[in-house]
Short mmCIF file of all heavy atoms in Angstrom, two decimals:
data_model
loop_
_atom_site.label_atom_id
_atom_site.label_comp_id
_atom_site.label_asym_id
_atom_site.label_seq_id
_atom_site.Cartn_x
_atom_site.Cartn_y
_atom_site.Cartn_z
N VAL U 1 48.07 -52.19 134.75
CA VAL U 1 47.91 -53.56 135.27
C VAL U 1 47.08 -53.50 136.53
O VAL U 1 47.25 -52.60 137.36
CB VAL U 1 49.28 -54.20 135.56
CG1 VAL U 1 49.12 -55.52 136.31
CG2 VAL U 1 50.07 -54.42 134.28
N VAL U 2 46.17 -54.45 136.68
CA VAL U 2 45.43 -54.63 137.93
C VAL U 2 45.55 -56.10 138.31
O VAL U 2 44.95 -56.97 137.68
CB VAL U 2 43.95 -54.22 137.81
CG1 VAL U 2 43.24 -54.43 139.15
CG2 VAL U 2 43.82 -52.76 137.37
N SER U 3 46.36 -56.38 139.32
CA SER U 3 46.61 -57.75 139.77
C SER U 3 45.91 -57.97 141.10
O SER U 3 46.14 -57.24 142.07
CB SER U 3 48.11 -57.99 139.92
OG SER U 3 48.37 -59.30 140.39
N SER U 4 45.06 -58.98 141.14
CA SER U 4 44.23 -59.24 142.33
C SER U 4 44.53 -60.62 142.88
O SER U 4 44.42 -61.62 142.16
CB SER U 4 42.75 -59.11 141.96
OG SER U 4 41.92 -59.32 143.08
N VAL U 5 44.93 -60.69 144.16
CA VAL U 5 45.27 -61.96 144.80
C VAL U 5 44.69 -61.97 146.22
O VAL U 5 44.94 -61.04 147.00
CB VAL U 5 46.80 -62.18 144.88
CG1 VAL U 5 47.09 -63.51 145.57
CG2 VAL U 5 47.43 -62.15 143.50
N ASP U 6 43.94 -63.02 146.56
CA ASP U 6 43.48 -63.22 147.93
C ASP U 6 44.56 -64.04 148.65
O ASP U 6 44.82 -65.18 148.28
CB ASP U 6 42.15 -63.96 147.94
CG ASP U 6 41.56 -64.09 149.33
OD1 ASP U 6 42.28 -63.84 150.33
OD2 ASP U 6 40.38 -64.46 149.45
N ARG U 7 45.19 -63.44 149.65
CA ARG U 7 46.28 -64.12 150.36
C ARG U 7 45.84 -64.87 151.60
O ARG U 7 46.65 -65.23 152.45
CB ARG U 7 47.38 -63.10 150.71
CG ARG U 7 48.09 -62.59 149.45
CD ARG U 7 49.18 -61.59 149.76
NE ARG U 7 49.89 -61.18 148.55
CZ ARG U 7 50.66 -60.10 148.45
NH1 ARG U 7 50.80 -59.31 149.52
NH2 ARG U 7 51.26 -59.80 147.33
N GLY U 8 44.54 -65.14 151.70
CA GLY U 8 44.05 -66.02 152.74
C GLY U 8 43.67 -65.32 154.03
O GLY U 8 43.44 -64.11 154.07
N GLY U 9 43.61 -66.11 155.10
CA GLY U 9 43.16 -65.60 156.38
C GLY U 9 44.23 -64.80 157.11
O GLY U 9 45.42 -64.91 156.82
N ALA U 10 43.78 -63.99 158.06
CA ALA U 10 44.69 -63.15 158.84
C ALA U 10 45.21 -63.90 160.06
O ALA U 10 45.18 -63.40 161.19
CB ALA U 10 43.98 -61.86 159.25
N ASP U 11 45.71 -65.12 159.84
CA ASP U 11 46.21 -65.97 160.93
C ASP U 11 47.74 -66.05 160.89
O ASP U 11 48.32 -67.09 161.18
CB ASP U 11 45.59 -67.36 160.85
CG ASP U 11 45.77 -68.01 159.48
OD1 ASP U 11 46.14 -67.30 158.52
OD2 ASP U 11 45.54 -69.23 159.37
N LEU U 12 48.39 -64.95 160.55
CA LEU U 12 49.85 -64.89 160.47
C LEU U 12 50.41 -64.05 161.59
O LEU U 12 49.72 -63.19 162.16
CB LEU U 12 50.27 -64.30 159.12
CG LEU U 12 49.64 -64.92 157.86
CD1 LEU U 12 50.12 -64.19 156.61
CD2 LEU U 12 49.94 -66.40 157.78
N GLU U 13 51.69 -64.28 161.91
CA GLU U 13 52.34 -63.45 162.93
C GLU U 13 53.84 -63.39 162.64
O GLU U 13 54.41 -64.26 161.99
CB GLU U 13 52.08 -63.99 164.33
CG GLU U 13 52.62 -65.37 164.62
CD GLU U 13 54.06 -65.37 165.14
OE1 GLU U 13 54.51 -64.32 165.65
OE2 GLU U 13 54.73 -66.41 165.02
N PHE U 14 54.45 -62.34 163.13
CA PHE U 14 55.90 -62.17 163.00
C PHE U 14 56.39 -61.41 164.22
O PHE U 14 55.82 -60.38 164.59
CB PHE U 14 56.23 -61.42 161.71
CG PHE U 14 57.70 -61.28 161.43
CD1 PHE U 14 58.59 -62.32 161.69
CD2 PHE U 14 58.21 -60.11 160.89
CE1 PHE U 14 59.94 -62.20 161.42
CE2 PHE U 14 59.56 -59.97 160.60
CZ PHE U 14 60.43 -61.01 160.88
N GLY U 15 57.41 -61.95 164.85
CA GLY U 15 57.93 -61.29 166.05
C GLY U 15 56.94 -61.25 167.19
O GLY U 15 57.02 -60.39 168.06
N GLY U 16 55.99 -62.18 167.17
CA GLY U 16 54.98 -62.22 168.23
C GLY U 16 53.81 -61.30 168.00
O GLY U 16 52.89 -61.26 168.81
N GLY U 17 53.79 -60.55 166.89
CA GLY U 17 52.70 -59.64 166.60
C GLY U 17 51.79 -60.16 165.50
O GLY U 17 52.26 -60.74 164.52
N ALA U 18 50.49 -59.95 165.65
CA ALA U 18 49.52 -60.44 164.67
C ALA U 18 49.53 -59.56 163.42
O ALA U 18 49.79 -58.35 163.49
CB ALA U 18 48.13 -60.46 165.28
N VAL U 19 49.21 -60.18 162.29
CA VAL U 19 49.17 -59.44 161.03
C VAL U 19 47.93 -58.56 160.98
O VAL U 19 46.88 -58.89 161.53
CB VAL U 19 49.21 -60.42 159.84
CG1 VAL U 19 47.87 -61.15 159.67
CG2 VAL U 19 49.60 -59.71 158.55
N ARG U 20 48.06 -57.40 160.32
CA ARG U 20 46.93 -56.49 160.15
C ARG U 20 46.48 -56.41 158.69
O ARG U 20 45.29 -56.36 158.42
CB ARG U 20 47.30 -55.09 160.66
CG ARG U 20 47.66 -55.02 162.14
CD ARG U 20 46.47 -55.23 163.04
NE ARG U 20 46.81 -55.05 164.45
CZ ARG U 20 46.81 -53.88 165.10
NH1 ARG U 20 46.50 -52.76 164.45
NH2 ARG U 20 47.15 -53.81 166.38
N PHE U 21 47.43 -56.31 157.77
CA PHE U 21 47.07 -56.23 156.35
C PHE U 21 48.28 -56.59 155.49
O PHE U 21 49.40 -56.74 156.00
CB PHE U 21 46.53 -54.84 155.97
CG PHE U 21 47.50 -53.70 156.16
CD1 PHE U 21 48.42 -53.36 155.16
CD2 PHE U 21 47.47 -52.92 157.31
CE1 PHE U 21 49.31 -52.30 155.33
CE2 PHE U 21 48.35 -51.86 157.49
CZ PHE U 21 49.27 -51.54 156.50
N THR U 22 48.03 -56.76 154.20
CA THR U 22 49.08 -57.08 153.24
C THR U 22 48.91 -56.20 152.01
O THR U 22 47.85 -55.62 151.79
CB THR U 22 49.03 -58.57 152.84
OG1 THR U 22 50.16 -58.89 152.02
CG2 THR U 22 47.76 -58.89 152.04
N ALA U 23 49.97 -56.10 151.20
CA ALA U 23 49.93 -55.31 149.96
C ALA U 23 50.92 -55.90 148.98
O ALA U 23 51.83 -56.64 149.36
CB ALA U 23 50.24 -53.84 150.24
N GLY U 24 50.74 -55.56 147.70
CA GLY U 24 51.65 -56.01 146.66
C GLY U 24 51.75 -54.97 145.56
O GLY U 24 50.87 -54.11 145.42
N PHE U 25 52.80 -55.07 144.75
CA PHE U 25 53.12 -54.02 143.79
C PHE U 25 53.58 -54.63 142.47
O PHE U 25 54.78 -54.89 142.29
CB PHE U 25 54.21 -53.11 144.36
CG PHE U 25 53.99 -52.76 145.81
CD1 PHE U 25 54.61 -53.52 146.81
CD2 PHE U 25 53.15 -51.74 146.18
CE1 PHE U 25 54.39 -53.23 148.15
CE2 PHE U 25 52.92 -51.44 147.52
CZ PHE U 25 53.55 -52.18 148.51
N PRO U 26 52.66 -54.89 141.52
CA PRO U 26 53.07 -55.44 140.23
C PRO U 26 54.17 -54.59 139.59
O PRO U 26 54.16 -53.36 139.70
CB PRO U 26 51.77 -55.40 139.41
CG PRO U 26 50.67 -55.42 140.44
CD PRO U 26 51.20 -54.67 141.61
N ALA U 27 55.11 -55.26 138.93
CA ALA U 27 56.31 -54.59 138.43
C ALA U 27 55.98 -53.62 137.29
O ALA U 27 55.02 -53.80 136.54
CB ALA U 27 57.32 -55.62 137.95
N LEU U 28 56.81 -52.59 137.17
CA LEU U 28 56.76 -51.68 136.03
C LEU U 28 57.72 -52.19 134.96
O LEU U 28 58.60 -53.01 135.21
CB LEU U 28 57.18 -50.27 136.46
CG LEU U 28 56.40 -49.60 137.58
CD1 LEU U 28 56.91 -48.19 137.81
CD2 LEU U 28 54.91 -49.60 137.31
N GLY U 29 57.54 -51.67 133.76
CA GLY U 29 58.44 -52.03 132.66
C GLY U 29 58.44 -50.93 131.62
O GLY U 29 57.90 -49.84 131.84
N ALA U 30 59.04 -51.21 130.48
CA ALA U 30 59.13 -50.19 129.43
C ALA U 30 57.76 -49.83 128.87
O ALA U 30 57.57 -48.72 128.37
CB ALA U 30 60.03 -50.70 128.30
N VAL U 31 56.79 -50.74 128.97
CA VAL U 31 55.45 -50.47 128.44
C VAL U 31 54.48 -50.10 129.55
O VAL U 31 53.64 -49.22 129.39
CB VAL U 31 54.92 -51.69 127.66
CG1 VAL U 31 53.47 -51.48 127.22
CG2 VAL U 31 55.80 -51.94 126.44
N MET U 32 54.58 -50.74 130.70
CA MET U 32 53.67 -50.48 131.82
C MET U 32 54.35 -49.57 132.84
O MET U 32 55.31 -49.97 133.50
CB MET U 32 53.25 -51.79 132.48
CG MET U 32 52.35 -52.65 131.62
SD MET U 32 50.76 -51.85 131.31
CE MET U 32 49.97 -53.13 130.30
N HIS U 33 53.83 -48.36 132.98
CA HIS U 33 54.41 -47.39 133.92
C HIS U 33 53.47 -47.08 135.08
O HIS U 33 53.78 -46.23 135.91
CB HIS U 33 54.77 -46.10 133.18
CG HIS U 33 55.92 -46.26 132.24
ND1 HIS U 33 57.15 -45.66 132.45
CD2 HIS U 33 56.05 -46.97 131.11
CE1 HIS U 33 57.98 -45.99 131.47
NE2 HIS U 33 57.33 -46.78 130.64
N LEU U 34 52.33 -47.76 135.13
CA LEU U 34 51.39 -47.62 136.24
C LEU U 34 50.73 -48.97 136.46
O LEU U 34 50.12 -49.53 135.54
CB LEU U 34 50.33 -46.56 135.94
CG LEU U 34 49.17 -46.47 136.96
CD1 LEU U 34 49.68 -46.02 138.33
CD2 LEU U 34 48.08 -45.53 136.45
N THR U 35 50.86 -49.52 137.67
CA THR U 35 50.22 -50.79 137.99
C THR U 35 49.48 -50.67 139.31
O THR U 35 49.73 -49.77 140.12
CB THR U 35 51.25 -51.94 138.08
OG1 THR U 35 52.11 -51.72 139.21
CG2 THR U 35 52.09 -52.04 136.82
N HIS U 36 48.54 -51.60 139.50
CA HIS U 36 47.73 -51.63 140.72
C HIS U 36 47.74 -53.03 141.31
O HIS U 36 47.68 -54.02 140.57
CB HIS U 36 46.27 -51.24 140.43
CG HIS U 36 46.10 -49.91 139.76
ND1 HIS U 36 46.34 -49.73 138.41
CD2 HIS U 36 45.71 -48.71 140.25
CE1 HIS U 36 46.11 -48.46 138.10
NE2 HIS U 36 45.73 -47.83 139.18
N GLY U 37 47.78 -53.11 142.63
CA GLY U 37 47.63 -54.38 143.32
C GLY U 37 46.37 -54.37 144.15
O GLY U 37 46.03 -53.35 144.75
N VAL U 38 45.65 -55.48 144.16
CA VAL U 38 44.45 -55.65 145.00
C VAL U 38 44.68 -56.92 145.80
O VAL U 38 44.58 -58.03 145.26
CB VAL U 38 43.17 -55.74 144.15
CG1 VAL U 38 41.94 -55.86 145.04
CG2 VAL U 38 43.05 -54.55 143.20
#
C-alpha cells in the first residue's frame, strides 16, 4: 500500500512548540504485510 495525504501547512503547535513534520502508517492485515505512508 502507498497512501499519500497532504496534511496542509506547518501552522500547528502543541505545548507551545511549533510543528516540524508529520507521518502516518497505513494498517497491515492478513493480505497486506508492508505499507507505506507519504
Side-chain angles (χ1 to χ4, degrees):
V1 170
V2 180
S3 179
S4 181
V5 180
D6 185 347
R7 292 180 177 163
D11 53 346
L12 310 178
E13 63 88 21
F14 184 39
V19 73
R20 299 290 184 86
F21 61 86
T22 187
F25 317 94
L28 303 183
V31 175
M32 291 295 181
H33 291 249
L34 172 65
T35 67
H36 304 77
V38 182

